[in-house]
Amino acid sequence: MQISLQDPVLASLAQAFPGQFGHSATLFACAPGRLEILGNHTDYNQGTVLSVAIDRFAKVAVAANPQAESGMVCRLYDVKGKSARQFRLDALDRKVPRDWANYIKGIVCEFNALGIVVPAFDMLVTGDVPLSAGMSSSAALEMAVVKALDKLCASGLDWQQMARIGQGAENHYVGANTGLMDQFSSLMGRQGHLIHSDFRSLQVANVPVPQGTSFVVANSHVKHNLTNEYNERRADCETASRLLGVEALRDVTPAQLEAGRSRLEERVYRRARHVVEEIDRVERGCRALEEGDVSAFGALMDLSHDSSRLNFENSCPELDTLVSLGRKLPGHLGARLSGGGFGGITVHLVESSQAEAYARQLEEGYLRETGLATQPMILHADDGAQVLSLA
């Protein structure tokens, strides 16, 4: 999407802002969620990822708070959740566990660490990226806030700095030791394209989505809290790198991993195998897309999920059920969990002509097999984060 007050959601934020805060918004920003298509847990191992920014967004309206006591009070309101928060810029160390405002407070802390003074501000927040579902609603919110505060502060950050601010908020304030994939995807999306991100060179390129295909996304409705499981998996990857004598698992080929297997305990080996083979799958996937071999690309998605289930153990029975059901349906090309895992969503690459029927049959099958409801979505590749200033 191209950001504009013609967007009904942003228009509603503009209309609601004075009633909530007593003055008008001057800035609007939006940032998309993302789907990870190939490259599971490879970003913090300096590997590569194929992802896509989706047409589901976090959206914010912002203005400086003209009535803040000593210029220190920030006021937040989540329109969808009808939830208000307030914090002082000189008391950012007062964290509330598992509170949504931590993402915004963490962003402010990262601006401060760069020597950028953030003034007191008011902010309305809304969005349609599903929460705790593997579409990175947190990074979408972070990048929308970063875009808005960058404009508010006239700081002129480049996109990589913006991504690192979001990562820093997660790592240092929220407590999730995440990589940069979510922020890169939210910033660098392009309509109709995948995003190939290299987390060693920190370069990205856009790759066309295969013609005649669609992404069907199904939410398992198993909620995950990534912090502990994610950090444990990352620690295992770092242990493998150290014992194999390399900077990161990016430096290990599948053959080298097998040659060094005796140095690793079984669990650490399987974690490393998942990552090393995922990096290889990303590059093979790019070649398959270049050659127009959509079937080969889909087969790599299937292999990726099998590895998540067996090696990285970040799947769950509900995700496995969705993938298994999808593999039996007409139009199936590939399916896997997307995101951190431990619940959340599966992403299915399907023939566009079959997408609606596929989604319906997936919903029916999941209810039959698990007793749980899911409402599959047909999602499209969209543009990255944007900001609109009325000042």
Side-chain angles (χ1 to χ4, degrees):
M1 65 169 288
Q2 291 298 310
I3 190 167
S4 164
L5 289 185
Q6 297 300 311
D7 172 19
V9 175
L10 292 180
S12 70
L13 291 182
Q15 184 175 11
F17 202 93
Q20 185 68 38
F21 298 120
H23 59 104
S24 296
T26 59
L27 293 167
F28 299 86
C30 66
R34 63 95 188 96
L35 299 174
E36 172 198 280
I37 306 303
L38 273 179
N40 186 249
H41 287 263
T42 58
D43 56 344
Y44 56 80
N45 289 289
Q46 297 185 27
T48 52
V49 177
L50 277 172
S51 61
V52 64
I54 57 173
D55 51 346
R56 296 290 187 275
F57 293 84
K59 298 178 180 181
V60 301
V62 182
N65 182 353
Q67 301 174 345
E69 174 192 332
S70 304
M72 287 292 161
V73 178
C74 295
R75 299 178 292 181
L76 314 174
Y77 188 75
D78 174 6
V79 175
K80 195 170 183 179
K82 295 181 172 56
S83 176
R85 297 289 186 273
Q86 182 170 295
F87 64 89
R88 291 183 59 88
L89 292 169
D90 57 354
L92 290 169
D93 57 334
R94 298 175 186 173
K95 301 180 185 179
V96 179
R98 296 179 295 279
D99 187 68
W100 63 268
N102 287 342
Y103 293 99
I104 298 171
K105 292 161 73 175
I107 294 293
V108 174
C109 287
E110 295 301 312
F111 270 83
N112 290 345
L114 293 174
I116 301 169
V117 177
V118 178
F121 60 85
D122 295 327
M123 179 180 293
L124 286 183
V125 175
T126 192
D128 59 0
V129 185
L131 302 177
S132 299
M135 297 187 215
S136 199
S137 57
S138 59
L141 174 61
E142 291 158 10
M143 293 303 94
V145 172
V146 169
K147 280 282 189 179
L149 294 186
D150 174 59
K151 185 68 71 172
L152 185 66
C153 299
S155 46
L157 298 170
D158 63 39
W159 72 269
Q160 290 186 353
Q161 290 174 307
M162 291 182 183
R164 289 196 178 281
I165 285 175
Q167 181 193 31
E170 298 260 11
N171 294 175
H172 306 142
Y173 204 91
V174 176
N177 200 14
T178 58
L180 281 162
M181 188 265 287
D182 296 346
Q183 292 80 12
F184 271 35
S185 302
S186 188
L187 287 167
M188 301 304 290
R190 181 180 170 192
Q191 196 171 67
H193 288 73
L194 302 175
I195 306 153
H196 178 271
S197 300
D198 185 320
F199 292 98
R200 173 159 286 169
S201 68
L202 301 183
Q203 297 300 308
V204 302
N206 291 114
V207 181
V209 174
Q211 290 188 353
T213 66
S214 297
F215 295 113
V216 174
V217 175
N219 192 339
S220 69
H221 289 292
V222 175
K223 299 294 184 182
H224 63 219
N225 181 348
L226 278 184
T227 303
N228 291 333
E229 296 279 14
Y230 190 107
N231 292 349
E232 289 172 5
R233 298 304 191 277
R234 182 163 184 165
D236 283 343
C237 292
E238 291 169 350
T239 296
S241 297
R242 186 181 73 253
L243 293 175
L244 293 170
V246 296
E247 179 183 351
L249 289 177
R250 165 69 173 269
D251 299 308
V252 182
T253 66
Q256 289 169 335
L257 177 63
E258 292 306 311
R261 180 173 182 173
S262 62
R263 299 181 224 170
L264 309 177
E265 63 177 90
E266 180 62 21
R267 189 196 71 229
V268 171
Y269 161 74
R270 287 189 290 108
R271 304 297 188 249
R273 179 179 176 182
H274 174 72
V275 170
V276 168
E277 292 183 347
E278 274 291 279
I279 294 170
D280 183 59
R281 279 188 282 270
V282 169
E283 302 317 305
R284 289 163 61 195
C286 287
R287 290 195 297 272
L289 292 178
E290 289 173 0
E291 295 166 1
D293 193 344
V294 182
S295 295
F297 185 83
L300 291 167
M301 293 178 64
D302 286 337
L303 287 172
S304 174
H305 184 81
D306 292 342
S307 180
S308 282
R309 179 171 57 85
L310 298 171
N311 294 322
F312 217 66
E313 295 180 289
N314 62 327
S315 188
C316 65
E318 294 82 2
L319 292 174
D320 295 340
T321 295
L322 285 167
V323 169
S324 178
L325 287 166
R327 289 177 178 177
K328 301 170 187 175
L329 295 178
H332 169 86
L333 294 168
R336 60 185 292 273
L337 65 81
S338 181
F342 313 106
I345 61 168
T346 55
V347 57
H348 305 246
L349 183 68
V350 304
E351 297 171 9
S352 294
S353 61
Q354 299 282 350
E356 291 188 7
Y358 186 104
R360 183 178 65 253
Q361 292 175 71
L362 193 63
E363 179 178 11
E364 293 168 352
Y366 189 61
L367 180 62
R368 183 176 62 249
E369 294 286 333
T370 68
L372 298 173
T374 184
Q375 296 80 39
M377 298 173 282
I378 300 173
L379 297 178
H380 306 93
D382 215 321
D383 293 321
Q386 301 169 62
V387 64
L388 172 67
S389 175
L390 302 184

